[in-house]
Amino acid sequence: MASALKALAQLILSNVERLESVCEKHGTDHPSLDTPFVPSALDADPVALEASRQIVGAAAQLLATVRQPMEVLQDYCSGMYTAAAVQFVNANDVVDILQQSGSQGLHSNDIGLKTGVDSSKIDRLLRYLATRHFFREVQPNVYANNKISSIILKLKSLAEIQKDPVSKYDGSPGAAMAGHFTEEAFMGSQHIAQFMKDPGQYQSPFNMAIQDTTNIFAWFEKPENVWRGRRFVAAMKGGGERFPPEIFSSAIDWKALKSGSSVVDVGGNVGSVTLPLAKAFPHLHFVVQDLDHVINEAQDYWKENCPEALTDGRVELQVHDFFKPMPVKADVYFLRVVLHDWPQAEGVKILQNIRDAAKPSSKLILFESIVPHACKETSPFLSDASAPTAPAPLLPNYGLGLGGFVTMVDIQMMTLLGGRERTIEEFVELGKESGWKLEEVKPGPLATFIYSPV
Ligand SMILES: C[S@@+](CC[C@H](N)C(=O)[O-])C[C@H]1O[C@@H](n2cnc3c(N)ncnc32)[C@H](O)[C@@H]1O
């Protein structure tokens, strides 16, 4: 039997071969790390995605295995320097400055002149990042963008950015996300340990950092933070569209619902999940609920995308606070990525309000991520075929290759909002506490949880 080291190395090699054959099929090379990122067919190819998942999981496990434990520890304990370095380059538009010099790069003296920062300090941060494959140092003290840094290139030109810094993240989800993570979340992260033991009056580590109990969304509305709120919206834009639409259209047998059955999209924002459902299943009556200002936006969204659904009354846009009693007795209620924003008690309250209005035959559907355990799954809701199946000796959740992302989002939810991602058992528990029985789980890039009233 191969040693664990060889088995990991072999997994890497066999998956690199798989990846290269997918590239061949698409008539392309695998994108180089040295050039700016360009989207390609590879990004959505399921075989390429599985191969990269295994390579990432195996490479991270191999590193943790072969490095001196003290080096691994130092690396983990110094992650804040990476966040701080990205914060600096993002806020000071360094990637946008480098973009003008193309692959030949720009000397730190010139970057210093354009950012108003001493060039020797620039060298230290950019070399730190280049050593971690974020930028290239093409000659001593000369830096160029690469595949990773190019992700935070802003859509606007440098002249436009300088003219109107408040709008500089509009249309640039990578830069907006990097800003939100390395500023608001970074601030909150310093209080996680204290929050775990004694949250005091605060709902999240972020609240502890700003010493204010205002929820982050209300905090974004303060005049001095409006630009941050605008950046958050830019970071989230398009997030919902990354999920395959079949997740929603095949969640249940919508066609089998009787004509005129009502479906409520709770906390539905403008109704972007409801829109394709309303088009595909015209026999159903849909209600999209959200807060006042969002429903105002929803009016424009539907007038633009499907005005007839509003005029013929098939789709209703309703102002409703989900902490108040649910006004609609519906056949189906669904919530997409709403519950992860809230602590357990609030999540339970939202579902209890729906339960109080539900009929015995109503269904509740949640679309949320599953936090995979780092060991073999034992949930009766997952068959062998649907549980993550990383090949040995990878962690069953592929480690960084798959579980890395969801576990990071879980900590992010706690940090900013006191919210949480959940394991399947925690979804069972959430139902128990709010009067719902979990009947079925459909895993996927976003999982579907189907509940019946108890
Ligand atoms: C993460 S977004 C998800 C939106 C939508 N379900 C989707 O997947 O696109 C959370 C939504 O909850 C809404 N929301 C927050 N607090 C609310 C409340 N008290 N009552 C109703 N909706 C609320 C927000 O306005 C936002 O649209």
Side-chain angles (χ1 to χ4, degrees), residues 267-269 272 290-291 294 320-323 336-338 341-342:
N269 201 266
S272 57
D290 210 293
L291 298 172
V294 182
H320 173 60
D321 174 351
F322 46 50
F323 292 112
R336 183 177 77 166
V337 294
V338 169
D341 282 350
W342 298 95

